[in-house]
Amino acid sequence: MSKNRLSAVLGIEKPVIQGPMAWISTAPLVAAVSDNGGLGVLGVGFAPAEFIKEQIIATRKLTSKPFGVNVIMIPELLDHVTKVVLEEKPPVIYADTLLGLDLELSKKYFSIWHDLGLKVIVKASTIQDAITAEQAGADAVIVKGWEGGGHTSYEATTVLVPQAANCLSIPLVASGGIADGRGMAAAIALGADGIEMGTVFMCAEETVVHPNVKNAMIKAGDMETVITGYSTDEPCRQLKNKLSEEMIDIENQFSKTEAAVKLKEVAESSLKKAMLEGDVEEKGAVMAGQIVPLITEVKSVKAIIDDVLSGYHATISKLVVFEV
């Protein structure tokens, strides 16, 4: 068996990345993922510099393995995050694109981070962003399909991955709709070198979120997620509840400009209300992906990663070559 390209580039044992999630991907979860061979990523993109620094230090106390810090590729956020990075030098920077990736801006910051000896991963929602990421010097690219939770795109993972595989020469990671070994096997077959998972880690034992969130996810069945926020140009997938119904009503009733303003007011602190306060029915947002029905119990990070990899090997062992 050849060495996995993604693992080799990032210095990890297993080609599994934990997606960064605000209020969820803090030191306990991130360290557990890294300690078990994957790449844990702190979800601190919009956080104050003090919190980012605290989380990097806390993660280092829990693991000696590589981990990442996510950065939102928006000019006003890049400088304050980079100041922390210059001091703390986390092993990996996870550059998150929301509204497209600017080539010159990316080159500037990727160069700064590379000069510190850090690896740079970029999450892209379009093939053009994936191409731009490689041109700017990224070490690996993640393409996330619309099946995923939280900020999402307009194309499916099965559409994005093979296109990206045709265009890129650097390691490629599939994200969106992956929660077990079958999903990993499909991603590898489509041309990915590894996978990213978010939703499944929301229900990890080490994830410090309100028990109501984990219970809501375990109970969720098929067709119980919905995408909201199209009018803001930053659509998000979340579990259906009264908040999502209100947001959809706003988008149906108002113009795009008016709806965008009203949605930001309604969604203010909605993630915090769910993750920390346990409001999963009224005003809280649980940003789970379409794969949530496959999550039926709370498990340790070790069990999650082990089950995915054993499921991957079991799946590929059953593949049959047949004539067409």
Side-chain angles (χ1 to χ4, degrees):
M1 294 177 65
S2 61
K3 177 71 173 176
N4 178 273
R5 290 201 308 161
L6 180 68
S7 298
V9 165
L10 298 179
I12 58 179
E13 300 165 25
K14 303 165 185 175
V16 176
I17 296 176
Q18 161 254 307
M21 300 168 283
W23 303 107
I24 300 169
S25 306
T26 53
L29 173 63
V30 172
V33 172
S34 291
D35 254 357
N36 283 282
L39 183 77
V41 184
L42 291 167
V44 293
F46 289 99
E50 297 78 15
F51 181 77
I52 300 172
K53 185 171 182 176
E54 287 173 6
Q55 286 299 308
I56 293 173
I57 293 171
T59 304
R60 277 217 170 93
K61 289 180 178 179
L62 295 172
T63 184
S64 60
K65 302 290 183 66
F67 66 93
V69 174
N70 86 313
V71 177
I72 309 299
M73 294 298 291
I74 299 174
E76 57 266 30
L77 294 175
L78 284 166
D79 283 335
H80 100 252
V81 174
T82 299
K83 286 178 183 177
V84 179
V85 167
L86 288 169
E87 294 176 8
E88 299 300 328
K89 298 181 179 64
V92 178
I93 294 293
Y94 181 116
D96 218 332
T97 64
L98 294 179
L99 299 174
L101 194 65
D102 180 80
L103 179 59
E104 295 308 315
L105 184 72
S106 300
K107 283 182 177 179
K108 173 185 174 181
Y109 284 95
F110 291 6
S111 178
I112 293 171
W113 301 332
H114 277 143
D115 286 346
L116 295 171
L118 315 183
K119 297 295 184 180
V120 178
I121 305 172
V122 174
K123 174 179 277 184
S125 296
T126 67
I127 298 303
Q128 184 54 59
D129 280 351
I131 293 170
T132 300
E134 179 167 14
Q135 292 172 339
D139 297 291
V141 168
I142 300 167
V143 290
K144 179 182 177 182
W146 86 310
E147 302 97 320
H151 288 292
T152 190
S153 62
Y154 295 88
E155 291 186 297
T157 304
T158 52
V159 173
L160 285 169
V161 174
Q163 289 185 80
N166 286 345
C167 299
L168 304 178
S169 61
I170 58 178
L172 172 64
V173 181
S175 177
I178 302 170
D180 63 12
R182 293 169 297 181
M184 183 175 187
I188 301 301
L190 289 169
D193 297 283
I195 59 169
E196 176 186 71
M197 300 187 296
T199 302
V200 67
F201 285 120
M202 290 172 69
C203 277
E205 291 174 357
E206 295 87 344
T207 306
V208 185
V209 299
H210 200 283
N212 288 358
V213 173
K214 297 180 182 181
N215 291 334
M217 292 175 63
I218 289 170
K219 292 177 181 176
D222 189 30
M223 300 301 292
E224 291 190 30
T225 68
V226 64
I227 297 178
T228 61
Y230 281 113
S231 60
T232 66
D233 293 323
E234 297 176 17
C236 286
R237 185 180 293 282
Q238 64 193 82
L239 289 185
K240 292 179 180 178
N241 62 5
K242 291 182 180 179
L243 172 66
S244 68
E245 290 176 0
E246 182 178 1
M247 295 175 77
I248 291 171
D249 286 343
I250 288 172
E251 294 201 273
N252 287 336
Q253 293 175 28
F254 297 93
S255 68
K256 180 178 179 179
T257 302
E258 292 175 310
V261 173
K262 292 180 180 295
L263 285 178
K264 288 183 178 179
E265 295 173 356
V266 169
E268 181 72 27
S269 299
S270 59
L271 192 58
K272 182 179 179 182
K273 288 173 184 175
M275 298 303 122
L276 300 186
E277 300 169 17
D279 179 2
V280 298
E281 297 181 0
E282 300 288 337
K283 296 293 184 179
V286 179
M287 294 189 178
Q290 283 186 312
I291 208 70
V292 69
L294 291 186
I295 300 168
T296 58
E297 61 181 317
V298 174
K299 299 192 292 189
S300 68
V301 164
K302 182 180 187 306
I304 291 171
I305 293 176
D306 286 350
D307 287 350
V308 168
L309 290 175
S310 63
Y312 163 74
H313 287 292
T315 300
I316 62 174
S317 70
K318 295 176 184 175
L319 295 179
V320 177
V321 178
F322 56 90
E323 294 183 3
V324 294

